Amino acid sequence: MISTHPDVRGSVNESLVRAIEAAYGCAAVCHICADACLAEDMVKDLTQCIRLNLDCADICLVTAGLAARRAGSHEALIKRMLETCVEACADCAVECEKHVDLHEHCRICAEECRRCEQVCREAASTISPPRH
């Protein structure tokens, strides 16, 4: 889809496309994990996990949305958002990893966050915004 945009003219950053897809997927998984945490009997013990799931989901959605709009026409902002997404995914993964022995949804979420973290790190490394 991105390659069809008139401003892109077929020149697509495939790493950025993978990051957009990973971030949208990670946001969905984080929302599901937060909802699953809320359904657990020990929900009070999962408060920080829920908060980080929601933070990560929000950051992933914004990052993917900005990157998808004309596939990163504001390169400096896209790079900063990818870097922020890396940090949010890492934070969420660390928290979810604390609960993997008890909650399968946390294991799945941690894995998805680690995947998104890596893909966004790779995409950020491909962007060299022009200096002003």
Side-chain angles (χ1 to χ4, degrees), residues 11 51 104 116 124:
S11 178
R51 287 180 178 140
E104 179 71 1
C116 188

Side-chain angles (χ1 to χ4, degrees), residues 2 22 28 35 58-59 69 72 83 92 95 97 101 103 111:
I2 290 171
D35 191 57
D58 288 347
I59 290 167
R69 191 166 33 254
E83 291 165 348
C92 190
E95 184 62 30
E97 287 164 351
D101 292 338
H103 308 294
E111 287 177 3

Side-chain angles (χ1 to χ4, degrees), residues 40-57:
E40 295 289 351
D41 291 335
M42 57 185 293
V43 68
K44 185 160 179 56
D45 296 335
L46 297 168
T47 302
Q48 184 64 4
C49 192
I50 295 164
R51 287 180 178 140
L52 290 175
N53 284 157
L54 296 175
D55 289 350
C56 188

Side-chain angles (χ1 to χ4, degrees), residues 4 7 9 11-12 14 16 39 66 75-77 79-80 88-89 99-100 102 117 119 127 131:
T4 67
D7 290 341
R9 294 186 177 84
S11 178
V12 177
E14 293 298 331
L16 186 58
L66 288 172
E75 290 182 344
L77 179 61
K79 186 174 181 85
R80 286 192 305 271
C89 288
H99 310 288
V100 297
L102 295 174
E117 174 188 6
V119 171
I127 298 173
R131 301 212 183 258

Side-chain angles (χ1 to χ4, degrees), residues 3-122:
S3 67
T4 67
H5 194 290
D7 290 341
V8 174
R9 294 186 177 84
S11 178
V12 177
N13 178 334
E14 293 298 331
S15 290
L16 186 58
V17 171
R18 284 190 295 278
I20 292 165
E21 292 168 347
Y24 277 134
C26 190
V29 169
C30 286
H31 277 129
I32 294 166
C33 189
D35 191 57
C37 286
L38 288 169
E40 295 289 351
D41 291 335
M42 57 185 293
V43 68
K44 185 160 179 56
D45 296 335
L46 297 168
T47 302
Q48 184 64 4
C49 192
I50 295 164
R51 287 180 178 140
L52 290 175
N53 284 157
L54 296 175
D55 289 350
C56 188
D58 288 347
I59 290 167
C60 283
L61 286 173
V62 170
T63 301
L66 288 172
R69 191 166 33 254
R70 292 196 325 155
S73 61
H74 188 321
E75 290 182 344
L77 179 61
I78 297 303
K79 186 174 181 85
R80 286 192 305 271
M81 287 305 301
L82 287 165
E83 291 165 348
T84 301
C85 195
V86 165
E87 185 177 338
C89 288
D91 290 347
C92 190
V94 166
E95 184 62 30
C96 280
E97 287 164 351
K98 294 176 184 177
H99 310 288
V100 297
D101 292 338
L102 295 174
H103 308 294
E104 179 71 1
H105 54 85
C106 286
R107 182 193 64 76
I108 294 167
C109 189
E111 287 177 3
E112 187 69 15
C113 286
R114 291 291 183 201
R115 185 178 79 77
C116 188
E117 174 188 6
Q118 182 59 37
V119 171
C120 286
R121 181 176 285 112
E122 290 168 7

